[in-house]
Amino acid sequence: MFWQFIYNALAVPAMFVGFHAAGYYAPKIREGIRGRRDVFEQLKTQLRSARNLKHTAWFHFTSVGEFEQAKPLIEAIYAETRTVLTFFSPSVAPNVSRYPHADAAGYLPFDTPANAERLIQLIAPSVIVFSKFDIWPNLVWKAAERSVPIVVVAGTLHAKSKRLSPFAKPFFSRVHRHITLHCAISEEDAARFAQLCATGKHAPPKNQIVVTGDTRYEQVYRRATAIEPDATFFPGQATLKNPILIAGSTYSEEEAVVLEAYQLLQEQARSENAPVPHLILVPHEPTPERIAEIRAKLDEWGLTHVCFSALKTMTPLSHVNAIVVDTVGHLAKLYRLADIAFVGGSFHGSVHNVMEPAAMAKPVLFGPTIHNAYEASLLLERGAAKMVQTAVQLADAIAEWLSDEESRTAAGERGKLVIEENLGAVERTLVHLREYV
C-alpha cells in the first residue's frame, strides 16, 4: 500500500502536469492528449458492435515496435477471441486504425486508479497482455484485485534499466510480482525479471517467468521474404550504378554523422578513383520541416539530391548523391536495394529496427546506443553488424565493406541467420497465452 500511495499521490500528478505542459511545445504530445479526451465513449461504442465471444484479450503496447511484437499473437487468437487494443503513442494510432484484427481500439487513458477500474469494467478482459515493457502500475494493481491474469510478451529488461536501481526496484517489484507471466526474450532478461520480482519477502512462482523469445522476428522475417528482390521499386532506380547506402529511420543527430561520413567517403573516392555510394536517406518522421532541414544540410555539404516524391519515370540518378525519402512506408523495400544499411536512433537515444535489414541479408551499421535492442548485440557478436561512435568510424566501416564484397556478403548472411535462428517465438508464447483464452 505504501508504494501505491506514493505513486498515486506524487508520481501520477507529476506525470499529468508534465505531460500537459510538454503538450504546449510538442505536437505529438498534443495529439495524444486530444486522442484521450473521449476514449471511454469511443471504446464503449466499438464494444457495442464487437463480436460476442467467450474470451476477451486486451493487448496494450506503447508504440509501433511493440505493436509489431503483438500482431502475430493477436492474429493467432483472433478467430476465437475478442481483441481490444490500447496504445500510448500517437505514432501507432494510424496503424491501429487500419488494423483488421481488433474489435475495439484506442488510446490508454492516463494511469489513475479510477481510469484503470473503469477500463477493466468496460472491457471485461479474460487476460491483459503487455507488449515488451509498457506496464502501467494502477492497471496492474486493479487487474490483480479482480484476479485478471496479466501476461508480458516479448518482455525486455536490459541491464541498465532504471527499474533495477536501488531506489526504483522496491516500487517496481510491487508491480511485477502481480504479473501472472513474464515471457522474456532471452535468458538474461528472464534472470533480471526474476531478480526484480523476487525483491521483498516472497519469490515469484516458478512458472511466472519463461523464455519464449521475441515475437517480432516472425513479423520482420515474413515481410522481408515477401519483398521481391529484383523488383524495380521507384522511378530512376535502374540508373543507380554505384553501391547503395541506406540510412534508415534517422534523426538529425544521425544525419550529421552520416553526411560527414559521406563527405569523407567522397574525398577518399576521389583520391583512389573509386565509386561513391548513392545515399538514400530515410528520416524517422519525414515532416516538411525535417525534409527542409535535411535538404539544407545537403546543400551545405555540396551534395546533389532529389526528393523521393519528385522522382519521375525518366529521372536520371547516376550523378545524384542522395535521395531524400519524404513519404512514409518505404523503408523495408528500400533496405532490399541496399548494399549496406545504417539504422538510425542510436545517436538519438535508442536504436531502431535492426532486424529488418538483417532479415534481408544486409550488413548493418549503427551508433553507440543499443541497450534497447537485444538483437543488435546479437548481430554484433556474430559479425553481422558494426557499431560506430564517430563519422570517421562510420566512413571507415562503409569503405571496408564496399572494398570487400565477400566480407560484406558474409556479414549479411550471418545477420539473416541470426533472424532465422530466433524464429519460433510466436508459437512458444502462444502455448502460454492460450491458457487464458
Side-chain angles (χ1 to χ4, degrees):
M1 293 297 293
F2 170 74
W3 286 109
Q4 290 187 34
F5 172 78
I6 293 296
Y7 178 70
N8 287 308
L10 300 178
V12 169
M15 287 189 292
F16 183 86
V17 172
F19 193 65
H20 283 76
Y24 284 103
Y25 307 99
K28 183 180 280 190
I29 293 177
R30 283 201 302 276
E31 185 181 343
I33 292 171
R34 286 195 300 268
R36 286 172 169 82
R37 284 175 184 162
D38 301 316
V39 69
F40 286 104
E41 288 305 313
Q42 292 171 16
L43 287 172
K44 190 181 295 183
T45 300
Q46 293 175 64
L47 287 168
R48 283 198 198 104
S49 58
R51 297 172 300 156
N52 185 19
L53 297 172
K54 180 180 179 181
H55 295 292
T56 298
W58 172 5
F59 287 83
H60 175 72
F61 35 85
T62 181
S63 58
V64 175
E66 292 72 37
F67 182 30
E68 290 299 314
Q69 288 170 313
K71 273 183 180 179
L73 302 173
I74 296 167
E75 291 162 20
I77 65 172
Y78 179 74
E80 69 273 11
T81 308
R82 185 161 67 165
T83 59
V84 178
L85 315 183
T86 59
F87 52 89
F88 185 84
S89 172
S91 63
V92 76
N95 303 62
V96 170
S97 67
R98 296 189 299 266
Y99 190 58
H101 299 103
D103 291 277
Y107 282 93
L108 185 75
F110 207 70
D111 188 44
T112 65
N115 282 346
E117 180 75 29
R118 188 177 174 188
L119 271 178
I120 292 170
Q121 290 181 358
L122 178 63
I123 297 171
S126 307
V127 62
I128 298 175
V129 183
F130 290 105
S131 182
K132 197 171 182 177
F133 53 59
D134 198 40
I135 299 164
W136 290 95
N138 277 317
L139 187 52
V140 169
W141 292 327
K142 289 297 181 182
E145 286 176 13
R146 290 173 166 266
S147 300
V148 177
I150 306 164
V151 177
V152 176
V153 298
T156 306
L157 188 64
H158 60 82
K160 296 181 180 179
S161 172
K162 292 179 181 177
R163 299 184 191 203
L164 295 171
S165 67
F167 175 76
K169 191 175 178 181
F171 167 74
F172 282 105
S173 73
R174 268 52 174 199
V175 178
H176 281 264
R177 67 176 49 180
H178 292 292
I179 292 172
T180 313
L181 180 69
H182 295 78
C183 294
I185 68 169
S186 71
E187 293 287 353
E188 293 84 353
D189 288 277
R192 288 189 284 270
F193 277 126
Q195 179 187 354
L196 182 63
C197 294
T199 301
K201 295 180 180 178
H202 303 291
K206 290 182 180 178
N207 67 340
Q208 191 176 5
I209 302 166
V210 294
V211 178
T212 54
D214 192 338
T215 54
R216 197 158 42 120
Y217 283 102
E218 267 89 349
Q219 285 290 91
V220 170
Y221 191 74
R222 185 172 64 183
R223 281 201 307 269
T225 54
I227 296 172
E228 292 293 333
D230 298 320
T232 299
F233 174 47
F234 60 85
Q237 177 186 322
T239 65
L240 296 175
K241 301 301 183 184
N242 292 349
I244 297 174
L245 168 66
I246 304 283
S249 201
T250 58
Y251 295 87
S252 57
E253 295 94 330
E254 276 98 22
E255 289 146 14
V257 175
V258 168
L259 293 182
E260 184 180 347
Y262 191 84
Q263 187 76 6
L264 293 170
L265 288 168
Q266 275 194 316
E267 294 170 3
Q268 181 181 335
R270 279 194 291 266
S271 65
E272 298 175 1
N273 196 26
V276 179
H278 296 288
L279 172 63
I280 300 181
L281 192 54
V282 190
H284 177 60
E285 292 185 342
T287 61
E289 294 78 14
R290 287 284 291 116
I291 297 302
E293 176 190 344
I294 292 166
R295 297 189 71 181
K297 293 284 185 184
L298 289 164
D299 286 336
E300 284 179 25
W301 286 102
L303 300 175
T304 57
H305 61 276
V306 63
C307 283
F308 190 84
S309 63
L311 295 177
K312 295 180 171 58
T313 305
M314 301 304 292
T315 305
L317 298 173
S318 57
H319 297 294
V320 171
N321 297 128
I323 299 171
V324 181
V325 179
D326 54 348
T327 53
V328 298
H330 307 305
L331 185 54
K333 290 183 178 179
L334 289 169
Y335 277 141
R336 174 64 76 183
L337 306 178
D339 292 281
I340 299 171
F342 173 86
V343 178
S346 49
F347 282 94
H348 177 77
S350 56
V351 73
H352 287 177
N353 188 351
V354 298
M355 290 184 187
E356 213 157 43
M360 299 178 192
K362 306 300 179 182
V364 181
L365 295 163
F366 42 71
T369 313
I370 64 168
H371 63 270
N372 62 300
Y374 176 67
E375 61 274 13
S377 63
L378 289 180
L379 294 175
L380 275 178
E381 289 171 11
R382 298 284 285 274
K386 294 180 180 180
M387 177 189 287
V388 298
Q389 306 277 348
T390 65
V392 172
Q393 290 180 0
L394 178 57
D396 289 344
I398 294 169
E400 183 179 347
W401 267 336
L402 288 181
S403 64
D404 189 345
E405 184 177 356
E406 184 177 342
S407 173
R408 186 173 75 239
T409 302
E413 291 299 330
R414 286 193 292 270
K416 185 178 180 183
L417 188 60
V418 168
I419 304 300
E420 291 173 341
E421 288 174 351
N422 282 277
L423 298 176
V426 171
E427 287 305 318
R428 289 191 292 271
T429 305
L430 281 172
V431 167
H432 299 283
L433 185 58
R434 288 191 189 280
E435 293 180 19
Y436 308 104
V437 296

